[in-house]
Amino acid sequence: MKWNKYTLKTTTEAIDYISGLMIELGIDGIQIEDNVPLSEEDKKAMFIDYLPTLPKDDGTAYISFYTEEDNDDEALLHKVREKLKEASSFINVGEGTIEKDITEDIDWVNNWKQFFKAFTVGEFYIKPTWEEIDEAHKDMKMIEIDPGTAFGTGKHETTQLCINQLIKYVKPGDIVLDLGCGSGILSIVAKKLEAGKMAMTDIDPAAITASKENFQVNHIAMDDIDLYDGNIIDDEELQKKVGFNKYDVVVANILADVIIPISAIVDKFLKKGGIFISSGIIYMKEEDVVDAIKKNHKLKFMETVNQGDWRAIMAQKILD
């Protein structure tokens, strides 16, 4: 089978943000090329003995994605270009040109797995389903995850930020809402922290399937978990199904441009005193998210925590 390969010329500065945009647009997998030297941590994670010699890094990067050869991709490419135009107002996206090529079939489903290795966050040991348990971590809370090609492994800074905040705020028996659940890893973390009833939403039906599969792998029953496919921001019927004034914790690891409109409505779902954990926020969007939270007079901004270029921002529903 042949595939369309679209390659976007951009900058290393914009890689993380544009990658997030592509995921938001439903692009299942991307390939990133740049000349940024690998760190020692990267070297260890990829089991590379010798770092490759790269040309001088001039800040240029390429992000490629693939579609089936007979796809009509004009609508998707238009959305990508529109998102790039919006992003160019606050980040250097470089040339922003997109070139098309045709490539032969590759085992995308399995090739990426060589880069997903076990890691720890706080009290959690997170490993891919196909990797053996490391005896050194056998006494930690273990999560097995098989994200497939469409959802994150949990190793990204934004997910780690959320996990650490869930550890901080979730108490046994808490009712938790996971907005944009993806692979379900944050909900699994909440359950491992002894959360009670839960609800999970995502705009992608495949996320619901992936979440169910990952709960099953981790031997967690879903009897007290509701899963919803839909857009919580615009769908008032979905909002009613999710339920109002009932959640102790709401977590959303998406993107700043989605967190901002969520901030205007998240108080509907929270109990008084409930905590809103938001992540997926690139550093240059931090102020915008904080402003959005402060505009909702039923929320009180609490704190921002950092990891690399990413931010998690916490707020609390006002008690009065």
Side-chain angles (χ1 to χ4, degrees):
M1 181 175 178
K2 292 186 177 181
W3 300 78
N4 300 316
K5 178 181 179 180
Y6 295 101
T7 302
L8 164 65
K9 188 175 183 180
T10 183
T11 65
T12 53
E13 175 187 352
I15 284 174
D16 279 348
Y17 189 79
I18 293 174
S19 298
L21 289 179
M22 288 186 172
I23 292 170
E24 182 186 353
L25 291 172
I27 295 170
D28 289 346
I30 60 172
Q31 174 185 330
I32 296 172
E33 300 172 75
D34 59 39
N35 292 324
V36 177
L38 293 174
S39 66
E40 286 299 320
E41 183 180 353
D42 293 332
K43 179 181 173 182
K44 291 176 183 176
M46 298 179 187
F47 298 95
I48 297 172
D49 293 324
Y50 299 98
L51 293 173
T53 301
L54 297 172
K56 184 178 178 181
D57 176 27
D58 62 357
T60 302
Y62 298 88
I63 303 177
S64 300
F65 61 95
Y66 300 81
T67 66
E68 293 184 11
E69 186 182 21
D70 57 355
N71 272 21
D72 182 358
D73 297 318
E74 285 308 310
L76 175 61
L77 293 173
H78 177 72
K79 289 178 182 177
V80 171
R81 293 187 179 102
E82 286 296 305
K83 290 290 185 181
L84 285 175
K85 185 177 179 181
E86 293 173 14
S88 66
S89 65
F90 55 83
I91 191 171
N92 178 15
V93 300
E95 287 189 13
T97 54
I98 301 175
E99 293 189 359
K100 179 180 178 180
D101 199 0
I102 303 294
T103 186
E104 294 293 335
D105 199 9
I106 298 175
D107 187 8
W108 304 111
V109 173
N110 292 302
N111 282 1
W112 66 275
K113 290 183 178 181
Q114 63 185 301
F115 301 111
F116 178 22
K117 303 297 178 183
F119 62 102
T120 61
V121 184
E123 62 202 71
F124 287 93
Y125 168 55
I126 300 168
K127 63 175 280 299
T129 53
W130 56 87
E131 191 173 287
E132 293 296 321
I133 297 173
D134 182 349
E135 287 297 308
H137 299 107
K138 65 181 181 180
D139 295 327
M140 300 182 74
K141 290 185 174 74
M142 187 180 75
I143 294 176
E144 293 192 279
I145 198 83
D146 186 359
T149 55
F151 305 105
T153 63
K155 197 167 186 177
H156 194 276
E157 289 96 329
T158 61
T159 312
Q160 294 189 41
L161 284 165
C162 280
I163 292 172
N164 281 319
Q165 295 308 304
L166 287 169
I167 292 170
K168 181 176 180 178
Y169 289 108
V170 171
K171 303 181 298 298
D174 274 356
I175 303 175
V176 177
L177 171 59
D178 183 357
L179 299 176
C181 59
S183 65
I185 186 169
L186 295 179
S187 292
I188 293 170
V189 166
K191 271 297 181 184
K192 293 275 185 176
L193 292 168
E194 301 182 34
K197 292 183 179 180
M198 294 188 60
M200 304 163 63
T201 74
D202 203 287
I203 60 172
D204 188 344
I208 305 303
T209 301
S211 294
K212 289 178 179 178
E213 290 172 351
N214 283 317
F215 266 78
Q216 185 175 13
V217 165
N218 286 278
H219 310 290
I220 300 174
M222 302 195 72
D223 300 341
D224 56 356
I225 300 174
D226 296 319
L227 293 95
Y228 301 102
D229 162 24
N231 186 337
I232 195 73
I233 298 169
D234 300 324
D235 190 337
E236 292 183 0
E237 286 303 312
L238 176 57
Q239 292 178 17
K240 291 177 184 177
K241 289 178 183 177
V242 168
F244 299 134
N245 304 306
K246 62 184 287 188
Y247 295 96
D248 298 286
V249 176
V250 175
V251 60
N253 180 28
I254 314 178
L255 286 171
D257 289 343
V258 182
I259 298 293
I260 288 169
I262 285 176
S263 298
I265 63 168
V266 70
D267 62 283
K268 294 181 180 181
F269 311 112
L270 286 166
K271 293 177 181 177
K272 289 183 178 180
I275 304 297
F276 176 40
I277 300 169
S278 62
S279 189
I281 303 160
I282 195 74
Y283 70 94
M284 73 278 293
K285 286 281 190 172
E286 176 184 347
E287 188 175 337
D288 293 339
V289 175
V290 172
D291 287 346
I293 287 171
K294 290 180 176 178
K295 285 178 183 176
N296 185 335
H297 300 300
K298 294 183 180 180
L299 295 179
K300 176 179 70 175
F301 167 73
M302 296 174 67
E303 63 174 333
T304 299
V305 293
N306 308 334
Q307 189 168 337
D309 289 337
W310 298 93
R311 307 290 183 261
I313 297 174
M314 274 56 66
Q316 184 175 37
K317 186 171 179 179
I318 293 171
L319 289 167
D320 294 332

